[in-house]
């Protein structure tokens, strides 16, 4: 039986545009999480984990309230992080972003994501449906890892708030990207977290 991994970015954060490192969901973020819960209602989940940060924990709580069989657990492996640094082939357009992070940030993020992919991408025999509620960069790293793309390419992969990405692994086969950043459960006015031109 296949192993499915459902990756979800948290709902929109209140006042996120003002640079808050963490905080509660906005009213729009709460609605995003509620609609995502409806979308996931028919999935026979076998496990669920979330980042300990408030915006992800609140998203997990809202989903769990509507899916009584789900009991999300906090995991430090799903914290927001910088998964890797600038590579020689990274386009110079990303210099300002990488210039704003420290080597310590990068080292910590790289170690965290090595542990996260080892933990959550290990094959589990039987029918497994696991939900991870986390952050943009973490999901980008998982997608990059599954596709075997160069390390720096995570910075080019973006997820909207409460967008749904699904990975699948069948016995004897590599992980497959089934869907990326699916927003079918969200009306246009609730699609946030991406550049405007990508939200239509």
């Amino acid at each position: 039986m296949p192993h499915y991994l459902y990756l979800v970015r948290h709902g929109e954060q209140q006042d996120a545009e003002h640079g808050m490192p963490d905080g509660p969901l906005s009213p729009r973020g709460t609605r995003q999480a509620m609609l995502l819960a409806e979308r996931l209602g028919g999935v026979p989940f076998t496990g669920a984990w979330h980042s300990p940060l408030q915006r992800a924990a609140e998203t997990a709580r809202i989903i769990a309230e509507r899916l009584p069989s789900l009991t999300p657990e906090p995991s430090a492996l799903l914290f927001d992080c910088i998964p890797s640094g600038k590579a020689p082939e990274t386009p110079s357009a990303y210099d300002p972003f990488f210039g704003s992070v420290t080597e310590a940030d990068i080292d910590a993020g790289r170690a965290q994501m090595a542990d996260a992919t080892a933990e959550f991408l290990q094959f589990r025999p039987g029918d497994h449906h696991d939900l991870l509620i986390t952050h943009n960069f973490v999901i980008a790293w998982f997608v990059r890892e599954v596709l075997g793309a160069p390390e720096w390419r995570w910075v080019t992969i973006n997820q909207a708030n409460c967008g749904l990405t699904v990975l699948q692994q069948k016995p004897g086969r590599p992980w497959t990207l089934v869907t990326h950043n699916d927003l079918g459960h969200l009306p246009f006015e609730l699609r946030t977290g991406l550049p405007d031109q990508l939200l239509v």
Side-chain angles (χ1 to χ4, degrees):
M1 300 293 285
H3 177 193
Y4 288 93
L5 199 60
Y6 302 78
L7 301 169
V8 169
R9 185 183 179 188
H10 58 81
E12 181 188 67
Q13 181 182 328
Q14 184 74 44
D15 297 325
E17 67 272 17
H18 301 305
M20 290 176 61
D22 192 25
L25 296 183
S26 69
R28 188 159 53 179
T30 297
R31 182 67 179 144
Q32 290 166 343
M34 293 169 63
L35 290 172
L36 177 62
E38 292 180 15
R39 173 71 180 276
L40 297 175
V43 178
F45 284 113
T46 47
W49 294 264
H50 65 85
S51 161
L53 292 177
Q54 184 178 1
R55 56 192 185 270
E58 283 194 10
T59 303
R61 177 184 54 77
I62 292 167
I63 292 172
E65 285 173 353
R66 286 152 181 81
L67 302 176
S69 64
L70 202 63
T71 307
E73 304 173 29
S75 171
L77 298 179
L78 300 177
F79 266 119
D80 203 3
C81 69
I82 306 297
S84 73
K86 188 175 184 294
E89 64 270 28
T90 306
S92 59
Y94 296 103
D95 286 353
F97 171 79
F98 284 108
S100 67
V101 298
T102 68
E103 286 299 320
D105 292 333
I106 293 168
D107 290 345
R110 187 187 300 276
Q112 175 189 319
M113 293 316 301
D115 290 343
T117 53
E119 172 67 22
F120 293 114
L121 290 180
Q122 64 172 306
F123 180 72
R124 292 174 170 81
D127 190 20
H128 280 268
H129 295 261
D130 295 331
L131 174 64
L132 306 184
I133 301 164
T134 181
H135 304 276
N136 189 30
F137 295 162
V138 174
I139 297 171
W141 186 263
F142 272 86
V143 172
R144 181 219 61 79
E145 181 79 11
V146 165
L147 295 178
E151 281 195 354
W152 69 271
R153 290 307 300 263
W154 67 267
V155 79
T156 70
I157 302 170
N158 291 289
Q159 287 67 224
N161 295 117
C162 285
L164 177 63
T165 293
V166 182
L167 308 177
Q168 178 200 70
Q169 187 182 36
K170 293 182 178 179
R173 298 186 185 184
W175 281 94
T176 299
L177 179 63
V178 176
T179 186
H180 175 250
N181 197 40
D182 185 349
L183 301 178
H185 48 287
L186 298 178
F188 289 124
E189 65 271 16
L190 290 183
R191 296 182 181 184
T192 62
L194 289 178
D196 289 343
Q197 64 270 25
L198 299 179
L199 288 170
V200 295

